[in-house]
């Protein structure tokens, strides 16, 4: 298993960079990771990341639709917050394994 | 040996020509999935596929209960073709299917179209089919960008890393 260093902490990651242990995540770690994808995290970004982590920890299904209904950001805003492939990028920064979601 | 160079899909154009639940959702899931991956996405509706973007019909799609050998009864027994023709059966099966999709967080058609455009995907209607069904732009979902010809469609499909998918 690969490891990476973010904000001075060593974390376990999968081949494509996703966390394999969600408990190794922190806001500082996320901020450091965000630099790799040229993002500067705002409070809204963190709210989305925490929503995603919460979904993951409670075993809920994570879809773009559920984020749109979270009240944090509309789907349009979500695409703007994490440009490109938003669900992939957001789950990467949220420190959870790669999402297995089709919607 | 040198490593094989990859050419990821940059643009995808999908054509939806049928109006049953499964045909429409196949197109919607693939279009939304492409948008989610950051792929430029064009979704083109023609013939009976137009039902999916016609305001009055989009959330009342059905699945066909006759002529579908893969159709099963709840529990897995074969679904007799004669049963599919009994009045009300198609509606009941269709609403059951939509309910099961809802449980998987699959949105209704109107919301699905909004999700696609929210992510930057574009939706078009085929001019020839719109004329044939005597529809007008205002009959179509607000998410529809415009009514275009097949020539316009092909023009949009330029680029080496573009794929056209007919669902």
């Amino acid at each position: 298993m690969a490891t990476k260093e973010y904000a001075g902490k060593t974390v376990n990651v999968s081949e494509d960079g996703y966390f394999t242990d969600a408990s190794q995540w922190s806001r500082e770690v996320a901020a450091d990771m965000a630099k790799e994808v040229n993002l500067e995290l705002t409070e809204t970004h963190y709210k989305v990341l925490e929503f995603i982590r919460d979904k993951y920890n409670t075993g809920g299904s994570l879809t773009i639709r559920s984020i749109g209904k979270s009240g944090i950001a509309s789907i349009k805003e979500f695409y703007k917050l994490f440009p490109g492939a938003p669900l992939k990028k957001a789950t990467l920064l949220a420190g959870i394994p790669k999402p297995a979601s089709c919607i | 040996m040198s490593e094989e160079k990859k050419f990821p899909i940059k643009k995808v154009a999908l054509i939806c020509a049928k109006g049953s639940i499964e045909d429409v959702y196949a197109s919607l899931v693939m279009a939304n999935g492409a948008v989610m991956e950051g792929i430029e996405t064009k979704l083109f509706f023609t013939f009976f596929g137009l039902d999916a973007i016609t305001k009055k019909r989009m959330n009342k799609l059905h699945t066909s209960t006759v002529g579908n050998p893969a159709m099963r009864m709840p529990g897995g027994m074969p679904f007799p073709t004669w049963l599919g023709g009994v009045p009300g059966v198609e509606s009941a099966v269709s609403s059951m299917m939509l309910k099961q999709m809802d449980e998987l967080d699959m949105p209704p058609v109107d919301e699905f179209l909004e999700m696609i455009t929210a992510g930057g995907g574009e939706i078009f209607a085929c001019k020839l089919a719109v004329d044939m069904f005597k529809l007008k732009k205002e009959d179509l979902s607000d998410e529809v960008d415009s009514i275009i010809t097949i020539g316009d469609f092909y023009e949009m499909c330029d680029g080496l890393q573009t794929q056209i998918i007919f669902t």
Side-chain angles (χ1 to χ4, degrees), chain A residues 63 65 75 79 84-85 88 103, chain B residues 35-38 105-106 111:
Chain A
T63 58
R65 189 188 188 203
I75 293 177
Y79 273 96
K88 273 188 174 169
I103 322 165
Chain B
V35 171
M36 278 167 67
E37 292 299 311
D105 211 20
M106 285 170 89
E111 195 189 329

Side-chain angles (χ1 to χ4, degrees), chain A residues 13-80:
Chain A
V13 294
S14 67
E15 240 172 53
D16 35 13
Y18 289 84
F19 278 42
T20 49
D21 178 359
S23 68
Q24 293 176 327
W25 185 87
S26 69
R27 284 171 72 109
E28 294 72 39
V29 166
D32 201 19
M33 288 175 83
K35 287 180 199 153
E36 278 186 3
V37 287
N38 294 320
L39 266 185
E40 189 145 345
L41 299 184
T42 63
E43 205 44 47
T44 320
H45 283 99
Y46 281 116
K47 277 189 191 152
V48 173
L49 296 184
E50 272 153 20
F51 173 81
I52 289 172
R53 289 180 59 78
D54 192 49
K55 273 265 173 199
Y56 172 73
N57 288 326
T58 54
S61 76
L62 181 65
T63 58
I64 287 210
R65 189 188 188 203
S66 64
I67 292 168
K69 285 189 190 289
S70 67
I72 300 163
S74 69
I75 293 177
K76 206 170 193 167
E77 286 158 355
F78 179 54
Y79 273 96
K80 282 212 181 99

